[in-house]
Amino acid sequence: MATDGKPRRMRSSTVILGGMGVLATALSACGSDPDKRCVDRDTYDYATGYKVVDSKYCGSSSSSKGKRKSGTGSGGKVDGAWYYDAEVERGRADYGTFSRSEAVDRGGFGCSDSGSGGG
């Protein structure tokens, strides 16, 4: 092996395979939903964030967002909403967003405009 100071040329197959990996990562990021947790919006604490609750309080569509549902056990109410891309620790979620489209934008691939109507 000569070390004459010239940069090594990469084989075309290496460049193609590397490019395909980057493309696959970008496409899979666009097609997947951001990480989400169902939280009770009435439980926010500055130091720990929102309390994570069962997903049944958030429903499966944005139409249930903000509806108040009966809690279990203590008789309280739960104001459930999906909270995206949050840091979760000890049953609490913080540093996330309630906006799905904003969470997708955080992914860095610019996939937020996927033709869906709301958020």
Side-chain angles (χ1 to χ4, degrees), residues 3-115:
T3 57
D4 56 5
K6 292 182 183 177
R8 281 183 44 194
R9 290 185 56 185
M10 296 179 80
R11 294 183 177 173
S12 61
S13 61
T14 303
V15 173
I16 290 171
L17 289 175
M20 288 175 60
V22 170
L23 180 62
T25 300
L27 291 175
S28 66
C30 288
S32 63
D33 283 332
D35 183 43
K36 65 183 178 181
R37 298 283 194 273
C38 184
V39 299
D40 183 351
R41 289 189 287 192
D42 291 338
T43 62
Y44 183 75
D45 178 74
Y46 182 77
T48 59
Y50 296 95
K51 180 180 178 185
V52 177
V53 296
D54 193 288
S55 61
K56 69 183 178 184
Y57 296 113
C58 289
S60 60
S61 68
S62 60
S63 64
S64 64
K65 188 176 180 179
K67 288 186 180 175
R68 299 190 66 81
K69 299 182 180 184
S70 296
T72 57
S74 66
K77 301 277 186 179
V78 175
D79 186 12
W82 290 115
Y83 196 50
Y84 298 94
D85 282 346
E87 293 179 16
V88 180
E89 186 176 327
R90 291 186 217 130
R92 307 290 291 195
D94 206 359
Y95 306 110
T97 178
F98 288 106
S99 168
R100 182 189 179 282
S101 61
E102 185 179 316
V104 172
D105 283 343
R106 289 180 181 186
F109 291 103
C111 305
S112 64
D113 191 7
S114 61

